[in-house]
Amino acid sequence: MTTPGATPDPSPAPDPSPSPTPASPSMPASRSASSSTSPSTSPSDGLSAGLAELVGRLRAAGREVSARELAEAVWLARLTAPPPRTGDRPEHHEPPPARPTGPDEAVRPSADEPDPRPEAPPRSAEHTAPLSLYAPSTADAVPTRAFPIRAPATGALSGLLGLQRALRPLRGYRPPVPPVLGPELDEEATAERSAADGFLCPVRRPAAHREAEIQLLMDASPTASVWQPTLERLRQACERLGAFRDVQVHYLHQGPDGSAMAGTGPDPHQTRLRPADQHRDVTGRRLTLVISDCVGPLWQSGGAQRLLYRWAEVSQIAVVQPLPPRLWDRTALPADPGMLVHEPGVGRGMRFVADERHGRAEPPAGALPVPVLLPTDRVLGGWAKLLGGTGTRTMRGAASWVLPQHPAQSASGPYAGARTPQARLRDFRSGASPGALELAVHLAAVPLYLPVMQLVQEALLPDTGPMQLAEVLLGGLLERLPDTVDVPGPRYDFAPGVRELLLEMLDRGAAELVLKYLSEYVTRRFGKGMRNFPALAVARLQGQDTGEPAVPEDPDGGPQADEELFAQVPARVVRWYQPVRPVPGRLDEVERLLGLWRDRRDRQMLFDAQALAEAALAADGDARSRHLLGRVLFARANTAEARRDPAGARRMLVRAEGLLTGHEAATAVARADVRHELWRQDHDTRWLRAAVAGLAEMPDGADLTTETARRLRMGRVLLDLARTEPERAESATAAVAELRLAIGLLDDLEAPPHRRAGALLDLVAALRLTRGHDTEELLALNDAAESAAEDSARLLLRTRLQRARIHREVRDWEAAATAYRRAERSAPRDSHERCELLAEWGEMLLVETGRPDRAEGILREALTNVTSKAPLRWHLHLLLGTALLDRYRDNRGGGGFLPDVYEGCHLLELSARRAADPATRARSWLTLAGARLELPDPQAHLASVESDYGRALREITEPPSLTAARALHGRGELYERMARPFAALADYRAADRHWRALTAQGTPIPESEARATRERAAALDRP
């Protein structure tokens, strides 16, 4: 799991020093009360107050604990707390002062702002409060003042002490080379000499250091995340063992040419890959453990086996194979049973005496054995005794034979060759363990997202572990889905037809239980900001009324990717146990399927509806069939799956626009939706103008629902049109009028609050584009939208982000910082929206408030969490590189911190070379040019600086440009520095033309920079 982290809080850190005044506002209420309790307070009262304080602090950090978890924590604290020493007086230790991480007074939130952290409830309330299956929303959870770190999941490191004891014999391992001698500090001699000389003078003496090292090499295959706890367990045990001078962890990747590469992380896009042989140790001091299931592409190609051969020639290496031994023959590294023999001083590898072959082929000539170990304390302990003992040692075990030119294997996993669903399941059952089969059956009722699969294991099948999960992942039943920005991490789906076969083996009651745990997960992760489709599925399976009408079509677009992820599989489970009977009439059935899709988000219903609508269009070709088919195509184009194929989605939208040609009010509204979506695809404003014209031509006399939809669509289309036009006031004013009418009609309809909240937010956005808008009115409308948003995390995020932008426009940095902080708390922890918010917040601190030191922490966290494929990543590189350079320049008088310049140059060059947006690349090259001049010996970098300015200019395709003017001015200054006045004058004149053209367009320009350009040109133009 991921330990919750947060951006640096811009509020000032509370002063922890004691004071005679009443309790500090930052102190929990229970603590304030306990500090003033009379001496006669009973111990039980103090205990209750302490527990209330503990619960309050946990809730303030966004963590909800059950009564059992709290009791276990108290019990564990009693066992692990050190006993007080006799005669010691109890002391009250105040926490150390928190390092200030927020902005200065210019952006610090008001001291009068109420503390958003929830107060600890009384103990009695904890006992009397009703229990619920669903966890409360975490939209307003207060994050801790820390950056996110990776921590092992609950229970993943159980038995760590046993493993550490099993590996203890490695302390006796002696490499086959002389010991390393080096100086160490002689404390007594240092003290005596320093006392005699009057100043500190270290004295060193020769000493033998710990000789051995260990390297853990994790295979970065698609199933690597399953074995991450195994890696973490080994790493911690080795670090605590005290036997190694160094413990290194690297990840093994396959390079573009098929060679073995190594990096510091599992994602090849976020780590620098180097040839793996650079980490090979030829001295024999370093032990290497390769953690892998040996079924990835690097093993199938033989590249990993060839790597093992080269390393086994010079050092001790072994493979930690997490799969059960009965599956090893189905991997790319089969192992033979036999006897492992270690003879100190005889070579650097290990001998292996295989058992009788029993029909197995003899190992080929020149092959080397590599031990294959299970990740159990017994097996790893035996390997440790083998290496750490004296004299010749033997151990029963297994080893694989590797060759210097190891051949490639056929692309297959432990289960291969099956194609039909029945054959896939039959082959899986023939080799899978009972636990793996039971796990596969239960996983048929949930989306195959790794945290959800592990949740099913922990909740329903606690006797299964990573080994059984790996059997399912590698068993030929699943297909890997492509990674997306919306849903990070590996996702899978059953091969066509397999899920239905597994559901036949799953009892209906068990399916309900699985979906109940899934609904808890959805509520924990998303709060009430997303419809809980698993909970609705449970209600339908139990024959209960969900109490939710079908969701009306909303112009906000289709469902989000995470919503579809947790909607489709529960809908398929319900459809399996409760088949839906079609209604008479093809078009009536299409209408019903569209309504069911809006309610359940079952993608199969759209496929069925399209097939029926296509048949009706071919048979009749009337207006109703065209209208329904156009709506179905629009719905399909708005699914998360279709949005991952923009070309396919656009084809569906273009066809839908051609089908929706009628003059009926419903058809006109649907046609406007399609045209609006087409504009989102290709940003051609003609689609927006066509949508406005179509809505304006709608006949009068429509019912209240249709008229409301028309006003909402018209307002939103006009709003987007205003955002794209240079003269935006006219379209923005028209959008304001339409949205005000729409909000009134929504009130008459008594529409759900979330629809009113969305309309209010659009009204605020439109008002911000008009001239002379009233800030107080904007804030009042935003408050109304926040009230209507209720517990919707997405709408709360929009309202709070809108508030930050309102304050930012009027340069109220203090209020803007407070609003950004509240918005950040509303964003899901690992979401792309949170990264965008942090980037916007950091850019405000960097550009508008001039606080690069405060912006750095926020931008770093955004860069840590953004996915490698998101375009935002390279914009964050640009912002963070600029922040580091600005901080160095601000502190130049005090010496500055030169590593800021080097890191800034690295980040800027990455952004300049990899960003997809030409404007971002141009800004990155421009900033990089100035950064190189801050390096030591700038004369050595002048050629690179000139090249950077030229690259920035080549990225600009639409002059005039602010970036082009700055690049030309900067290159002119560079040419002056290089004693090239004529080239400098030409660049200054070109920059001046850009400044003048921008002014003529009405674009605001920095007058001081434009004036400096003209002054330098005039100075060089003098005879």
Side-chain angles (χ1 to χ4, degrees), residues 842-915:
E843 190 168 13
M844 181 195 78
L845 294 173
L846 174 65
V847 177
E848 299 176 35
T849 68
R851 297 299 304 179
D853 51 337
R854 306 304 185 193
E856 183 209 356
I858 295 173
L859 294 172
R860 278 196 190 279
E861 184 175 358
L863 187 58
T864 301
N865 289 292
V866 73
T867 58
S868 58
K869 298 179 182 179
L872 176 64
R873 182 174 187 82
W874 310 116
H875 181 63
L876 286 168
H877 273 75
L878 169 61
L879 292 176
L880 181 56
T882 305
L884 292 170
L885 290 170
D886 287 353
R887 184 172 68 179
Y888 174 80
R889 289 163 179 154
D890 291 346
N891 298 328
R892 189 182 299 166
F897 187 57
L898 195 57
D900 281 350
V901 182
Y902 286 107
E903 184 183 3
C905 289
H906 171 69
L907 293 170
L908 290 167
E909 188 164 1
L910 284 176
S911 175
R913 294 186 182 278
R914 299 186 182 180

Side-chain angles (χ1 to χ4, degrees), residues 421-454:
Q422 293 79 8
R424 287 177 183 268
L425 184 57
R426 183 177 60 250
D427 287 354
F428 175 76
R429 296 185 69 170
S430 66
S433 64
L437 178 60
E438 189 176 9
L439 177 61
V441 171
H442 283 76
L443 291 180
V446 297
L448 299 182
Y449 180 47
L450 190 58
V452 175
M453 292 188 275
Q454 293 170 335

Side-chain angles (χ1 to χ4, degrees), residues 281-580:
D281 174 53
V282 297
T283 66
R285 290 194 177 95
R286 182 181 302 157
L287 308 177
T288 301
L289 289 176
V290 180
I291 301 96
S292 175
D293 49 33
C294 305
V295 296
L298 189 61
W299 297 91
Q300 302 296 338
S301 67
Q305 292 91 328
R306 293 190 286 272
L307 177 78
L308 292 179
Y309 182 92
R310 293 192 296 271
W311 289 28
E313 286 184 305
V314 295
S315 62
Q316 295 290 346
I317 186 170
V319 174
V320 178
Q321 170 61 275
L323 289 176
R326 55 190 169 76
L327 297 179
W328 290 358
D329 284 348
R330 302 189 181 189
T331 70
L333 194 72
D336 293 335
M339 190 71 68
L340 294 166
V341 182
H342 180 237
E343 299 173 313
V346 182
R348 293 179 178 175
M350 188 175 294
R351 286 198 303 115
F352 178 67
V353 180
D355 293 344
E356 294 185 10
R357 306 306 299 173
H358 297 295
R360 290 175 177 263
E362 291 290 333
L368 289 180
V370 175
V372 180
L373 313 172
L374 279 170
T376 63
D377 296 353
R378 184 183 64 82
V379 176
L380 291 173
W383 174 75
K385 292 177 182 177
L386 193 67
L387 295 179
T390 58
T392 300
R393 293 258 176 164
T394 60
M395 167 191 168
R396 286 289 305 171
S400 294
W401 299 96
V402 293
L403 293 165
Q405 298 298 325
H406 205 95
Q409 308 289 320
S410 60
S412 62
Y415 309 89
R419 288 297 176 263
T420 66
Q422 293 79 8
R424 287 177 183 268
L425 184 57
R426 183 177 60 250
D427 287 354
F428 175 76
R429 296 185 69 170
S430 66
S433 64
L437 178 60
E438 189 176 9
L439 177 61
V441 171
H442 283 76
L443 291 180
V446 297
L448 299 182
Y449 180 47
L450 190 58
V452 175
M453 292 188 275
Q454 293 170 335
L455 169 71
V456 171
Q457 284 187 282
E458 295 173 6
L460 299 174
L461 303 170
D463 293 335
T464 63
M467 197 173 292
Q468 287 76 21
L469 179 56
E471 287 187 65
V472 176
L473 294 177
L474 302 171
L477 301 179
L478 309 183
E479 296 176 346
R480 177 77 182 267
L481 299 178
D483 294 337
T484 64
V485 174
D486 301 321
V487 186
R491 299 181 306 128
Y492 301 86
D493 196 6
F494 284 104
V498 173
R499 189 186 297 273
E500 288 72 18
L501 294 176
L502 292 172
L503 286 175
E504 290 180 357
M505 306 164 60
L506 183 65
D507 179 74
R508 180 167 175 163
E512 292 177 9
L513 187 59
V514 173
L515 290 173
K516 283 182 181 179
Y517 280 106
L518 182 60
S519 73
E520 285 185 341
Y521 176 83
V522 169
T523 307
R524 259 197 328 269
R525 175 168 178 176
F526 302 103
K528 297 181 181 178
M530 187 180 82
R531 296 181 69 214
N532 197 325
F533 289 98
L536 296 176
V538 172
R540 294 189 185 101
L541 287 175
Q542 294 176 346
Q544 300 175 5
D545 183 7
T546 61
E548 293 194 10
V551 180
E553 290 183 274
D554 199 305
D556 290 331
Q560 300 296 318
D562 49 12
E563 182 177 286
E564 285 197 353
L565 177 65
F566 294 98
Q568 292 169 10
V569 175
R572 292 174 67 178
V573 174
V574 172
R575 183 161 27 93
W576 172 260
Y577 290 106
Q578 295 179 349
V580 179

Side-chain angles (χ1 to χ4, degrees), residues 925-975:
W925 286 120
L926 171 63
T927 312
L928 178 61
R932 293 192 197 274
L933 294 175
E934 303 289 349
L935 293 169
D937 191 14
Q939 291 295 125
H941 303 286
L942 295 183
S944 297
V945 174
E946 181 183 9
S947 174
D948 293 341
Y949 281 129
R951 289 180 174 183
L953 291 169
R954 286 194 294 272
E955 295 288 354
I956 298 166
T957 57
E958 296 182 3
S961 163
L962 181 65
T963 303
R966 286 173 168 165
L968 288 165
H969 181 92
R971 194 169 66 175
E973 290 182 334
L974 176 68
Y975 285 152

Side-chain angles (χ1 to χ4, degrees), residues 87-145:
D88 286 355
R89 296 180 60 187
E91 294 181 308
H92 175 67
H93 295 281
E94 291 289 346
R99 181 173 177 261
T101 55
D104 61 0
E105 297 296 335
V107 292
R108 183 173 295 160
S110 171
D112 298 332
E113 180 195 3
D115 190 352
R117 303 171 189 264
E119 301 227 351
R123 182 68 174 173
S124 59
E126 184 179 339
H127 282 294
T128 58
L131 297 177
S132 171
L133 177 66
Y134 306 103
S137 171
T138 57
D140 284 320
V142 179
T144 58
R145 295 185 183 186

